[in-house]
Amino acid sequence: KLIILGASGHGKDVFCIAEACGREIVGFLDDADRYDSFMGKPVLGKIDDWHQFEDVRFIVGVGDPRIRSRIVSRLESSGKPIWDTLIHPSFERFNAGVVGEGTVIMPGSIFAADVSVGRHCVISLSVTLGHDDRIGDFCTLAPKATVSGSVTCEPGVEIGTLAAVRQGLTLSAGSLLGMGGILTKSTDPNQIYIGNPAKPFKELPEFV
């Protein structure tokens, strides 16, 4: 049994992945009072009501890594939630690698050899990860992002749609590569990078 935390656009995608994985979806928890039901399932209460439910697993249906991190911290500071991991059946990988709890991997993604993905990441549609990539906790990789081999993404990194990362770089914690960006140098923490080649554009709040 599974409860999805967050009844919004990304929550819809997570719902569909969960169905494809054969999960029994009990419903959603969400802090906004927008819906009584969502995707045909009940909105069961607020996120902090999670401890009322026994014998269920949880997954965060929020795309923003900063918000996703805060939700996980809220739950883990008040108990011991059991996190699910959702990997779409169409996902391909060269060998086992590592995928952390709470992570969602969407259709069409491909991992080369010895890729490691941390906790509570979102690997969106048709993402490609090269050999020996290290993706930290709470990262979000948008559709068709391409990451070459031996890249390190520290916690809270975002890589936008159709963006590409050169081999061997480090994306520092909380940094964001904008959609279509081509990254040829490692990033500083909590900075947005855009363009080809990608350059610093704007500072972000610190990722915690």
Side-chain angles (χ1 to χ4, degrees):
K1 295 181 179 180
L2 177 67
I3 290 177
I4 300 170
L5 307 177
S8 60
H10 184 69
K12 291 181 178 181
D13 289 342
V14 172
F15 176 90
C16 293
I17 303 299
E19 282 201 321
C21 293
R23 300 298 194 270
E24 179 184 347
I25 303 166
V26 177
F28 292 81
L29 295 176
D30 193 275
D31 287 341
D33 293 321
R34 293 173 294 183
Y35 310 108
D36 294 323
S37 64
F38 191 73
M39 299 295 287
K41 297 292 182 178
V43 177
L44 301 163
K46 306 291 188 182
I47 289 174
D48 287 337
D49 296 329
W50 71 273
H51 59 275
Q52 298 178 14
F53 301 91
E54 298 181 354
D55 300 321
V56 294
R57 294 177 178 266
F58 298 90
I59 196 88
V60 183
V62 175
D64 185 312
R66 285 169 168 78
I67 298 174
R68 195 161 65 246
S69 175
R70 290 198 293 268
I71 290 172
V72 170
S73 294
R74 280 166 60 185
L75 269 66
E76 292 184 345
S77 66
S78 62
K80 295 182 178 180
I82 301 173
W83 300 109
D84 206 346
T85 301
L86 300 177
I87 300 176
H88 192 272
S90 70
F91 165 63
E92 299 179 47
R93 50 184 161 183
F94 289 7
N95 61 3
V98 176
V99 176
E101 65 178 5
T103 286
V104 177
I105 300 179
M106 297 194 181
S109 292
I110 301 174
F111 290 6
D114 296 330
V115 168
S116 174
V117 174
R119 302 174 70 234
H120 301 285
C121 292
V122 173
I123 309 298
S124 196
L125 301 163
S126 300
V127 169
T128 300
L129 296 180
H131 64 84
D132 300 299
D133 283 344
R134 298 291 178 261
I135 309 300
D137 298 344
F138 301 105
C139 290
T140 296
L141 279 60
K144 295 188 176 180
T146 301
V147 181
S148 299
S150 300
V151 167
T152 297
C153 293
E154 294 182 351
V157 162
E158 293 184 75
I159 300 177
T161 300
L162 290 170
V165 179
R166 180 183 175 183
Q167 181 171 345
L169 301 183
T170 295
L171 285 76
S172 295
S175 61
L176 185 157
L177 175 60
M179 58 188 301
I182 307 296
L183 191 67
T184 60
K185 296 181 180 180
S186 295
T187 70
D188 291 328
N190 305 305
Q191 293 279 343
I192 296 174
Y193 289 76
I194 61 172
N196 179 13
K199 296 181 179 179
F201 171 67
K202 183 179 179 181
E203 190 170 356
L204 289 166
E206 182 179 3
F207 177 82
V208 292

